[in-house]
C-alpha cells in the first residue's frame, strides 16, 4: 500500500526524498503522442499539397488539405495543452481523466473534419460537445462544476440537434449522404428548404461559438482547469468557422450571408463593450472570445470563409496564450483617470497616410483589390488598426521622431506580411472546398452596418459609454455566469 | 447615537473575519487573528459554527502521520489513556473517519451572488477598462445610483432605496434587538469572509484605492441587508443549538497534540545528541566571510551548504534587518511596506543615483518607460474596436511562437545573468528618510542609524567581524503565479528583502556610525570589514550580491566567495529538488515554467522556531522545519534583545505557522483552493471558477503535494529558546499578549536553560514549567 511506501520515505527523513506526485501514465504519453500527430499532420499537408492524392475511405471518410490544415491546428493546441497540463495538473485527482477527455476531444475534431458521410459527421459534432462539457465538470466533486457542465451540455446537445435537422433535411431532399454529395446537388433543393436548413446550421454554429444570446455557457465554463479553457477557446468555440466553411455553398445559395454578417457584427460590438467592464480575468477573456467569434462570423457573412478560418487559427494562438498566462494579472496599480484623446494636425496626417498605406499593402498581399465589394470591410478594419497603432506610437513622448516614423511602419508591415502569408496558405489549403471566397457586392444593409460599426468605434474611442450607467448595469448582467454555477453550495460539518 | 451603536456593534462583529491581504503583497497571517484572546480549542469551535469550516487535521492526515511514525505510538497511547480512551490506537483512528463533511445548498445563494457581483465591480483595482460609474462617491452611493437598473434585485424606484448607509441599516434593523443585531452582523459578515476581509484590509490600511473609492463594512452591510430585504433573503440567522462535547473533536485534539509532542521530542533528541556537544564553543578564530540570512525556514538549508563550502559563519536575523521602512520602488514609483505588518513604518527608503552612473540610470528609466508604454499599447489595441480584431490577426503568429517557447523551453529561456544585469541596484544606492511629512524631520538623526546597526549585532549575538559581512535578504522568482509574493520575504510584508539588506549594509559602512559604535559601545568594527547587501533567490538558490559600492581592496575575497556561492547553489538545489545532478537547470525550469504550480515550497513544513546561537544547530539537518534566530544569552544580560525577539519575530512566525496550519486543515475556507481553477479578480485576488468568495490564503499547491496528500504538517509552532528560564518568565510577566498566546495554546514554548546544564523545560498554562529531556521523559510531561 501507499502508506508503507511513504513510511519508508519518511525514515530517511529529509526533503531530498520528497518525490513528486506520480503523473498518470496516460498524461505522460499524451504530449509526445500529440506532438507526433502534429508533425505528421504537417508532413501530410505538405505531401498533399504537392502530390494532390485522392484519399477516400468508402465515402465515409475522406482527407483533403483542409482536413489536414485543421488537424495541424487542433493537434498543435492539444499538444501545447497536454505538455502544459502534465506539470500544471500534477497532483490533481482527475489528471488522468482530464488527459483522456482532451485526447477524446482532439480525436473527435480530427474525425469530424475527415467525415464525409453525415453520420460520423454528426456523431463527432456531438462528441466534441460531450468531451468539452465533461472537461468543464472534470472535478466531479465540485457542485458548481457539475452545474456548469450540465448547463454547457444542454447547449451542445441543442446545437447538435439543430445541426442534425439542417443536415438531414438537406440529405433527405438531395438523397445524398455525404457532405460533398449534398453540396454538389444543392440545385435540387427548394429555396424554402434551403433557407430552413441554412438557419438550423447557423443556429448550431452560433451556439458553438457562444454568439449572443447563446453566450452564457462560455461565461459559466471557468470551472474547468485553465488549460481546458485554453483548449476550449482555441479549438472548440471556433468550430463555427469550420462548420460554416464546410457549408459555404449552402450559406451562399440560401442568401443567408447578410444574416451572418449582422449576427456576427452585432455580437462583435456588444461583446467588445462588455469586455471592457469585466473584473475577472477569465470572464474578460471569454467576452473577448465572443467578440472575436462575432468577427469571424462576420467574415463568413462577407463571403470570406477563408479569412474566417485564418482568423480562427490566429485567434487560437492568441487566446490560448492569454489563458495559459492568466495567472500573471496580479499587480499593484494606482487609481487613474482614463486618457484623453487628442491629436495634432500633423499627427493626424501621419495616422491617415499610414492607415492608407497599411490598407494598400493588405489589399495587395491578400488579393482584396476590388473596392466595390464586401472585402472593403476587411480592408477598412486593417486601415483603422494601422491608424490606431500609429496614433499610439506618435503620441508616445519617449520615442524620438525617427522612431515615431519607423516603429509603426515596422509593426504594420510585419503584422500584415505575416497575416498575408498565413491567409494565403489557408486559402491554398482550402482550395478543394467550394465557395470559400465569395466577395459579395456591397448592399445597403452592409453599408448601414458599416456605419454602425464606425459609430461603435467612435463611441469607444471617445469614451462616451462611460457616461451611461444604465448600459453598464445591463452589460454587467448579461455577462454574469449562470446563477447555478456560482456559490450554490456550501460545506457543513456533521 | 443609534448610528454609533451600530458602528460599535459592526466593529465587534468584524472580529469573526480575518483580514484578506491583496495577492501583490500577500501576508501569511493568522485567519483567526480575531480569536487569539480565546483558547485555541474554543476559537476553532466558534469558527466551525460560524463559517462551517474544518479546523483540525482530517482523519487521513492523522493516519498518514501515524503510519509514517510522525505520531509516536507511546505518546498517543498515553494521551489517549489520559483522556479516558481505552481502546486500541487503531480503533480510534478508525473512529476519526466517522467525521464527515456534507454539501448543502447555500440558503443565501442569490444574495451572496448579487453581493459578489457588486463588490467585485466596485473593488476592482484596474482590471476593467470601464470602471463602475460613480465609484468616487463611495460604495453605498455608487451602488444606489446603479441598483435601480439591476433587475436581479428589482427595486421599483430610486426612492425605494434609502439615501445613506446608516438610514438603510436603520430601516432594516430597526425592529431587531441589540442582541439580534449583533448576530445579524456576524452572520452577514461571515457569509463572504474573503470579501469582507478585504474591505477590512482597505479600511485599516487606507490604500490609494480606498482613498479614491471608499468602502466600509457599514456600507457593505447596508447594501447587503437592503438587498436581502427586497429579495426576501434570510436576514436573522436561525439560532444554532450549541453543540455539546464532541467526542470526535476531543480525539482529534489528542491526535494533534501527540503529533506535536512527537515532533518536539524528535527535535530535542537531535539537539541533545548532535547539537549541543558538537557545537560547543570551539569557534574558528576568524571567518573569511559572515552571511546573515532571514530567520525564514528556507534559510536553514542554504546556510548548511554555505558553512560546508568554506570558512564561513552564518546568522539568522529577521529579514527586514531591523529597519522599519517603506520602500519606494525605482521602477514603478510605488511605495510598499517593507517590514513586518505588525510594525509601523518609520522610514521611507528610496533610490538615489550612484556617482558616475547617470548614463546607466537613464537607460533604466528609458527601459521602464518603454515597458509601461508597451503594456498600455497592447491593452489599448486589444480593447478598442476594431483594432482588437486587426491586432489578433497581425500579432497572432507571434503568440503562436510564444506558446511554443514558453511551453517547451522554460529552462533555456531563463537567464539570471541578464536579469541581474538589468537590476537598477547596480547603478543606485538606497537613501533613508523619515516617513514623517514634516520637512524638518525628513533626514534621519545619527542616533537612529546607530541604533539600527547596533541592534542587528546585539540581537544576533555578534562577537567578531570578518572582512566580508553580507546581509542576505530573500526573494523568489516564479512565472504565471498569482501567489508569487507569498514566496517573498514575510518579514518584509511579502516584498523581496534586498532593499532592507542593502540599506543596513550602507548604514553599517558609514564611518560616523562605526565611530560611535566604537567609542560609545566598545563595538569595534575593524577597518577592513565591509558590509554588503545581497539577496537569496529561494526558487533557484542563487545569491545575488549588490557589490556596486565594494572597494577594489575586497575584490579578490569577494570573487572567492562568489565562486563558492555558485557551488552552494548547485548543492542546495540538488538537495531541495532531490536530484543528483543538474540542480540549477532543474531549478531554472521551476522558476520560469508557466505551467509550474509548485515553483518552490515556501515556508511549508515549518514547525519550530529556535532562538539561540548557531552552534546549537550547526551539526543538524533540520529539514527546513525551523525558523532560526541567532541569539546569545550571555551578551544579553538584561534580556532586552530577547524581549524584542519574542515580541517581533516570535509573533510573526506564529502568524505564519497558524496561516499554514489553517490553510492545510481547510484549504477551501482558509486557503486558496486549487490553483488550477483560479480566476484572477480585480488584479488583487483570486476566486474559484466562475466566481464566488475571494480567496484568503495559500493555495492547495503550497501545502499539499497532491489533492489528497499533505506536504505541510499542520502543527502548532514550538518555540525553543536557549536562555535562563527566569529571564523568560520575567518577559512573559511583562508581556501579557505573549503569555496569552501560550496559555491559549496557539504556540508552545520550550526553554533550554544554559544555567541549568541546558535542561529543557516546557511551558504550561499559568507560568508553570515542566521538565522534559528526551522522548521517554516527554511521557512524564504528559502524565504530570
Amino acid at each position: 500500500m501507499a502508506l508503507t511506501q511513504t513510511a519508508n520515505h519518511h525514515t530517511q527523513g529529509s526533503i531530498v526524498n520528497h518525490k513528486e506526485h506520480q503523473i498518470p501514465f496516460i498524461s505522460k504519453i499524451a504530449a509526445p503522442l500529440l506532438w507526433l500527430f502534429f508533425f505528421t499532420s504537417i508532413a501530410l499537408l505538405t505531401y498533399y499539397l504537392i502530390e494532390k492524392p485522392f484519399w477516400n475511405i468508402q465515402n465515409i471518410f475522406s482527407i483533403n488539405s483542409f482536413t489536414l490544415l485543421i488537424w495541424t491546428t487542433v493537434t498543435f493546441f492539444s499538444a501545447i495543452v497536454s505538455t502544459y497540463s502534465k506539470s500544471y495538473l500534477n497532483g490533481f485527482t482527475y489528471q488522468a481523466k482530464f488527459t483522456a477527455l482532451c485526447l477524446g476531444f482532439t480525436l473527435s475534431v480530427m474525425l469530424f473534419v475527415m467525415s464525409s458521410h453525415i453520420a460520423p459527421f454528426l456523431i463527432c459534432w456531438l462528441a466534441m460537445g460531450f468531451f468539452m462539457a465533461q472537461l468543464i465538470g472534470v472535478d466531479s466533486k465540485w457542485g458548481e462544476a457539475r452545474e456548469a457542465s450540465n448547463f454547457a451540455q444542454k447547449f451542445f446537445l441543442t446545437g447538435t440537434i439543430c445541426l442534425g435537422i439542417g443536415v438531414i433535411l438537406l440529405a433527405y431532399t438531395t438523397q445524398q449522404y455525404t457532405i460533398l454529395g449534398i453540396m454538389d446537388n444543392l440545385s435540387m433543393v427548394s429555396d424554402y428548404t434551403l433557407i430552413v436548413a441554412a438557419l438550423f446550421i447557423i443556429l448550431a454554429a452560433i451556439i458553438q461559438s457562444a454568439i449572443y444570446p447563446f453566450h452564457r455557457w462560455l461565461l459559466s465554463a471557468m470551472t474547468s482547469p485553465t488549460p481546458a479553457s485554453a483548449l476550449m477557446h482555441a479549438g472548440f468555440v471556433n468550430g463555427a468557422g469550420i462548420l460554416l466553411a464546410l457549408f459555404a455553398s449552402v450559406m451562399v445559395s440560401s442568401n443567408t450571408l447578410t444574416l451572418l454578417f449582422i449576427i456576427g457584427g452585432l455580437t462583435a460590438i456588444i461583446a467588445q463593450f462588455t469586455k471592457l467592464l469585466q473584473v475577472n480575468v477569465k470572464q474578460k477573456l471569454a467576452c473577448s472570445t465572443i467578440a472575436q467569434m462575432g468577427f469571424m462570423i462576420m467574415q463568413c457573412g462577407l463571403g470570406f470563409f477563408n479569412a474566417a478560418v485564418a482568423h480562427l487559427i490566429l485567434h487560437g494562438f492568441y487566446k490560448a496564450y492569454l489563458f495559459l498566462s492568466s495567472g500573471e494579472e496580479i499587480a499593484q496599480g494606482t487609481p487613474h483617470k482614463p486618457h484623453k484623446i487628442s491629436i495634432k494636425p500633423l499627427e493626424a496626417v501621419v495616422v491617415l497616410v499610414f492607415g492608407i498605406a497599411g490598407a494598400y499593402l493588405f489589399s495587395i498581399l491578400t488579393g482584396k483589390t476590388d473596392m466595390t465589394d464586401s472585402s472593403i470591410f476587411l480592408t477598412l478594419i486593417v486601415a483603422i488598426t494601422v491608424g490606431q497603432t500609429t496614433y499610439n506610437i506618435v503620441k508616445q513622448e519617449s520615442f524620438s521622431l525617427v522612431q515615431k516614423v519607423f516603429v509603426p511602419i515596422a509593426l504594420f508591415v510585419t503584422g500584415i506580411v505575416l497575416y498575408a502569408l498565413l491567409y494565403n496558405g489557408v486559402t491554398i489549403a482550402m482550395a478543394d472546398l467550394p465557395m470559400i471566397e465569395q466577395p459579395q457586392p456591397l448592399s445597403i444593409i452592409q453599408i448601414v452596418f458599416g456605419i454602425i460599426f464606425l459609430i461603435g468605434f467612435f463611441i469607444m474611442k471617445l469614451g462616451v459609454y462611460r457616461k451611461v450607467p444604465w448600459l453598464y448595469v445591463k452589460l454587467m448582467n448579461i455577462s454574469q455566469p449562470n446563477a447555478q454555477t456560482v456559490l450554490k453550495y456550501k460545506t457543513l460539518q456533521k | 447615537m443609534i448610528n454609533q451603536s451600530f458602528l460599535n456593534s459592526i466593529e465587534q462583529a468584524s472580529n469573526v473575519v480575518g483580514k484578506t491581504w491583496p495577492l501583490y503583497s500577500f501576508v501569511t497571517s493568522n485567519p483567526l487573528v480575531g480569536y487569539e484572546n480565546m483558547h485555541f480549542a474554543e476559537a476553532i469551535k466558534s469558527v466551525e459554527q460560524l463559517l462551517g469550516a474544518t479546523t483540525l487535521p482530517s482523519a487521513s492526515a492523522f493516519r498518514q502521520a501515524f503510519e509514517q511514525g510522525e505520531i509516536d505510538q507511546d505518546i498517543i497511547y498515553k494521551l489517549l489513556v489520559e483522556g479516558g480512551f481505552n481502546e486500541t490506537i487503531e480503533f480510534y483512528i478508525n473512529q476519526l473517519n466517522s467525521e464527515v463533511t456534507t454539501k448543502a445548498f447555500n440558503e443565501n445563494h442569490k444574495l451572496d451572488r448579487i453581493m459578489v457581483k457588486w463588490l467585485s465591480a466596485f473593488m476592482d483595482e484596474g482590471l476593467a477598462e470601464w470602471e463602475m460609474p460613480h465609484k468616487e462617491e463611495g460604495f453605498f452611493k455608487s451602488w444606489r445610483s446603479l441598483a435601480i437598473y439591476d433587475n436581479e434585485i428589482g427595486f421599483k424606484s430610486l426612492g425605494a432605496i434609502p439615501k445613506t448607509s446608516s438610514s438603510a441599516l436603520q430601516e432594516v434593523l430597526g425592529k431587531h434587538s441589540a442582541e439580534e443585531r449583533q448576530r445579524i452582523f456576524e452572520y452577514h459578515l461571515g457569509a463572504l469572509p474573503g470579501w469582507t476581509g478585504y474591505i477590512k484590509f482597505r479600511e485599516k490600511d487606507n490604500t490609494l484605492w480606498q482613498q479614491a473609492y471608499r468602502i466600509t463594512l457599514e456600507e457593505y452591510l447596508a447594501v447587503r441587508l437592503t438587498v436581502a430585504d427586497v429579495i426576501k433573503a434570510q436576514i436573522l440567522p436561525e439560532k444554532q443549538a450549541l453543540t455539546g462535547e464532541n467526542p470526535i473533536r476531543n480525539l482529534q485534539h489528542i491526535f494533534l497534540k501527540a503529533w506535536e509532542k512527537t515532533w518536539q521530542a524528535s527535535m530535542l533528541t537531535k539537539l541533545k545528541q548532535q547539537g549541543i556537544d558538537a557545537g560547543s564553543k570551539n569557534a574558528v578564530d576568524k571567518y573569511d566571510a559572515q552571511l546573515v540570512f532571514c530567520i525564514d525556514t528556507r534559510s536553514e538549508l542554504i546556510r548548511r551548504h554555505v558553512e560546508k563550502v568554506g570558512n564561513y559563519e552564518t546568522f539568522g536575523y529577521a529579514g527586514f534587518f531591523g529597519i522599519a521602512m517603506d520602500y519606494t520602488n525605482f521602477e514603478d514609483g510605488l511605495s510598499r511596506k517593507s517590514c513586518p505588518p505588525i510594525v509601523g513604518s518609520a522610514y521611507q527608503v528610496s533610490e538615489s543615483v550612484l556617482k558616475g552612473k547617470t548614463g546607466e540610470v537613464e537607460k533604466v528609466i528609458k527601459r521602464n518607460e518603454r515597458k509601461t508604454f508597451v503594456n498600455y499599447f497592447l491593452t489599448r489595441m486589444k480593447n478598442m474596436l476594431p483594432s482588437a480584431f486587426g491586432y489578433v490577426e497581425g500579432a497572432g503568429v507571434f503568440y503562436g511562437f510564444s506558446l511554443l517557447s514558453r511551453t517547451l523551453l522554460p529552462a533555456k529561456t531563463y537567464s539570471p545573468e541578464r536579469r541581474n544585469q538589468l537590476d537598477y541596484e547596480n547603478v543606485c544606492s538606497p537613501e533613508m528618510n523619515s516617513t514623517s511629512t514634516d520637512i524638518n524631520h525628513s533626514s534621519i538623526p545619527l542616533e537612529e542609524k546607530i541604533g539600527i546597526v547596533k541592534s542587528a549585532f546585539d540581537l544576533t549575538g555578534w562577537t567578531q567581524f570578518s572582512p566580508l559581512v553580507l546581509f542576505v535578504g530573500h526573494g523568489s522568482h516564479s512565472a504565471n503565479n498569482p501567489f508569487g509574493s507569498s514566496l517573498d520575504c514575510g518579514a518584509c510584508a511579502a516584498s523581496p528583502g534586498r532593499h532592507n539588506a542593502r540599506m543596513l549594509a550602507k548604514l553599517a559602512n558609514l564611518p560616523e556610525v562605526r565611530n560611535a559604535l566604537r567609542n560609545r559601545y566598545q563595538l569595534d568594527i575593524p577597518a577592513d570589514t565591509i558590509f554588503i547587501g545581497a539577496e537569496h533567490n529561494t526558487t533557484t538558490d542563487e545569491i545575488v550580491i549588490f557589490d556596486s559600492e565594494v572597494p577594489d581592496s575586497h575584490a579578490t575575497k569577494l570573487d572567492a566567495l562568489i565562486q563558492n556561492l555558485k557551488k552552494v547553489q548547485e548543492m542546495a538545489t540538488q538537495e531541495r529538488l532531490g536530484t543528483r545532478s543538474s540542480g540549477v537547470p532543474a531549478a531554472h525550469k521551476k522558476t520560469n515554467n508557466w505551467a509550474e504550480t509548485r515553483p518552490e515550497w515556501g515556508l511549508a513544513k515549518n514547525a519550530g522556531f529556535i532562538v539561540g546561537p548557531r552552534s546549537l544547530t550547526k551539526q543538524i539537518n533540520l529539514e527546513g522545519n525551523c525558523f532560526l534566530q541567532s541569539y546569545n544569552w550571555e551578551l544579553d544580560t538584561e534580556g532586552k534583545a530577547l524581549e524584542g525577539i519574542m515580541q517581533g519575530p516570535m509573533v510573526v512566525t506564529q502568524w505564519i505557522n497558524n496561516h499554514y496550519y489553517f490553510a492545510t486543515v481547510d484549504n477551501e475556507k482558509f486557503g486558496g483552493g486549487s490553483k488550477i481553477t483560479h480566476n484572477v479578480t480585480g488584479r488583487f485576488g483570486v476566486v474559484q471558477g466562475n466566481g464566488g468568495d475571494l480567496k484568503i490564503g495559500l493555495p492547495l499547491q503550497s501545502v499539499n503535494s497532491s489533492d489528497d496528500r499533505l506536504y505541510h504538517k499542520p502543527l502548532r509552532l514550538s518555540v525553543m529558546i536557549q536562555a535562563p528560564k527566569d529571564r523568560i518568565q520575567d518577559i512573559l510577566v511583562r508581556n501579557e499578549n505573549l503569555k496569552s498566546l501560550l496559555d491559549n495554546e496557539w504556540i508552545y514554548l520550550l526553554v533550554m536553560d544554559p544555567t541549568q546544564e541546558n535542561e529543557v523545560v516546557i511551558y504550561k498554562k499559568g507560568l508553570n514549567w515542566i521538565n522534559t529531556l528526551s522522548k521517554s521523559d516527554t511521557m512524564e510531561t504528559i502524565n504530570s
Side-chain angles (χ1 to χ4, degrees), chain A residues 3 13 280 311 332 477 490, chain B residues 67 107 117 336 393 623:
Chain A
L3 293 171
N280 293 350
H311 190 78
Q332 183 173 9
N477 277 349
K490 63 176 189 180
Chain B
E67 286 171 4
E107 71 274 12
K117 177 175 81 180
R336 294 182 180 85
E393 305 206 319
E623 296 164 33

Side-chain angles (χ1 to χ4, degrees), chain A residues 314-491:
Chain A
L314 291 165
H315 171 258
F317 292 148
Y318 170 74
K319 202 49 61 70
Y321 184 90
L322 292 184
F323 263 100
L324 297 182
S325 62
S326 64
E328 287 170 354
E329 288 287 324
I330 293 287
Q332 183 173 9
T334 45
H336 60 83
K337 286 286 148 209
H339 291 262
K340 282 264 177 292
I341 302 294
S342 66
I343 190 157
K344 295 190 194 103
L346 185 63
E347 291 167 347
V349 171
V350 176
V351 167
L352 205 66
V353 169
F354 282 10
I356 292 168
Y360 180 72
L361 183 66
F362 172 80
S363 59
I364 295 291
L365 291 180
T366 59
K368 298 193 180 69
T369 42
D370 191 341
M371 300 291 284
T372 58
D373 66 29
S374 55
S375 69
I376 183 95
F377 276 96
L378 298 177
T379 313
L380 194 64
I381 282 170
V382 172
I384 302 178
T385 305
V386 172
Q388 281 170 305
T389 309
T390 314
Y391 169 79
N392 281 309
I393 290 167
V394 296
K395 291 305 277 185
Q396 178 57 22
E397 280 157 17
S398 75
F399 283 119
S400 67
L401 194 63
V402 179
Q403 283 172 321
K404 282 182 184 178
V405 174
F406 285 101
V407 173
I409 296 180
L411 286 181
F412 81 73
V413 172
T414 326
I416 291 172
V417 168
L418 282 174
Y419 173 75
L421 275 174
L422 190 106
Y423 173 83
N424 291 326
V426 166
T427 309
I428 293 168
M430 289 176 77
D432 296 346
L433 297 188
M435 298 199 185
I436 54 120
E437 192 174 342
Q438 296 289 314
Q440 302 296 300
L442 271 182
S443 67
I444 291 292
I445 295 180
Q446 285 177 347
I447 291 168
V448 167
F449 207 79
I451 293 167
I452 293 178
F453 217 88
L454 280 175
I455 293 172
F457 160 64
F458 278 111
I459 289 177
M460 197 171 247
K461 194 93 189 161
L462 300 172
V464 185
Y465 58 91
R466 291 175 191 276
K467 301 203 173 70
V468 196
W470 164 84
L471 184 65
Y472 181 91
V473 181
K474 289 299 155 202
L475 293 180
M476 175 163 82
N477 277 349
I478 65 165
S479 57
Q480 289 299 306
N482 171 265
Q484 306 306 311
T485 67
V486 182
L487 288 165
K488 185 174 185 191
Y489 299 93
K490 63 176 189 180
T491 336

